[in-house]
């Protein structure tokens, strides 16, 4: 059993910053890829950023240069630093992790945290 706990969402003015965190706990042998997705009202869930075990990252074009994904492997935690936020960044943000329990590889999602950016 694996649990993901997200924190850090909220309301911020355009141009402001927020930092999201997502901590994994439970039956974990190794955490593989970690990522953040978001879903705005009426839109499909989209990938924001992903980071693999070695630290390589991929970003959506819409957030490049503004968002930074990082991870703390010892704490099994992934972060998303969001700077220069825009109203179009408003969405529910979900963390994603791929975990090796020692028996199988499985995908897990956080509960989602609301980010609202006012103009």
């Amino acid at each position: 059993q694996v649990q993901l706990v997200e924190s850090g969402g909220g309301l911020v003015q355009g141009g402001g910053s927020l930092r999201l965190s997502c901590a994994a706990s439970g039956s974990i042998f190794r955490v593989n890829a970690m990522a953040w997705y978001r879903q705005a009202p009426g839109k499909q869930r989209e990938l924001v950023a992903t980071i693999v075990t070695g630290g390589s990252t991929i970003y959506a074009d819409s957030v490049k240069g503004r968002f930074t994904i990082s991870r703390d492997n010892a704490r099994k935690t992934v972060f998303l630093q969001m700077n220069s936020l825009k109203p179009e960044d408003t969405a529910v943000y979900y963390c994603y992790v791929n975990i090796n329990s020692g028996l199988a590889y499985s995908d897990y999602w956080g509960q989602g945290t609301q980010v609202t950016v006012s103009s």
Side-chain angles (χ1 to χ4, degrees), residues 8-12 16-20 80-83 85 115-116:
L11 173 65
V12 64
S17 298
L18 285 174
R19 180 178 169 88
L20 305 182
L80 186 67
Q81 178 66 43
M82 304 184 292
N83 299 328
L85 282 160
V115 171
T116 303

Side-chain angles (χ1 to χ4, degrees), residues 2-10 20-25 35-39 45 78 91-97 107-115:
V2 173
Q3 297 80 40
L4 299 181
V5 177
E6 297 183 29
S7 61
L20 305 182
S21 300
C22 175
S25 62
W36 289 95
Y37 286 73
R38 67 185 180 187
Q39 187 167 18
R45 190 173 296 189
V78 61
V92 178
Y93 284 70
Y94 298 90
C95 69
Y96 159 89
V97 297
D107 299 326
Y108 295 90
W109 293 89
Q111 79 278 12
T113 185
Q114 177 70 47
V115 171

Side-chain angles (χ1 to χ4, degrees), residues 21-97:
S21 300
C22 175
S25 62
S27 301
I28 300 171
F29 174 70
R30 180 178 292 119
V31 179
N32 300 315
M34 308 180 86
W36 289 95
Y37 286 73
R38 67 185 180 187
Q39 187 167 18
K43 295 187 177 181
Q44 289 189 332
R45 190 173 296 189
E46 64 174 357
L47 176 66
V48 176
T50 188
I51 183 168
V52 297
T53 306
S56 297
T57 57
I58 297 174
Y59 294 93
D61 288 343
S62 60
V63 306
K64 282 181 181 177
R66 300 187 298 122
F67 290 12
T68 302
I69 189 170
S70 60
R71 60 190 287 168
D72 183 331
N73 290 325
R75 293 166 55 193
K76 301 180 181 64
T77 300
V78 61
F79 305 95
L80 186 67
Q81 178 66 43
M82 304 184 292
N83 299 328
S84 303
L85 282 160
K86 305 175 181 180
E88 50 263 44
D89 294 318
T90 295
V92 178
Y93 284 70
Y94 298 90
C95 69
Y96 159 89
V97 297

